[in-house]
Amino acid sequence: MPLILAQSEKAQQAYALVSNLQSRLVMKLNQLSSSMGEDKAFEELTWLRDEGLHGGGNRFEFRDEKLF
């Protein structure tokens, strides 16, 4: 079952903002890993709450033990 997104415009804007910030952070940390670490990108993990009925999302796990 796919993730059910919020219907409210404000909630959609908040989700877009947080997703953009998360993407930018992961991109910058991957650049640091490339230049100063083991060049191991973060791995995205997705999750669903109640099979997506009550939300879900994604998180990123680091793989670069030298840098982190």
Side-chain angles (χ1 to χ4, degrees), residues 23 26 34 39 43 50 53 59:
S23 294
V26 168
S34 177
D39 196 19
E43 182 177 323
D50 298 328
L53 182 62
R59 67 178 188 268

Side-chain angles (χ1 to χ4, degrees), residues 4 13 23 27:
I4 297 172
Q13 291 171 348
S23 294
M27 179 183 68

Side-chain angles (χ1 to χ4, degrees), residues 24-39:
R24 290 175 58 195
L25 176 62
V26 168
M27 179 183 68
K28 294 295 185 181
L29 290 173
N30 281 337
Q31 288 174 350
L32 279 176
S33 176
S34 177
S35 65
M36 300 176 65
E38 299 174 296
D39 196 19

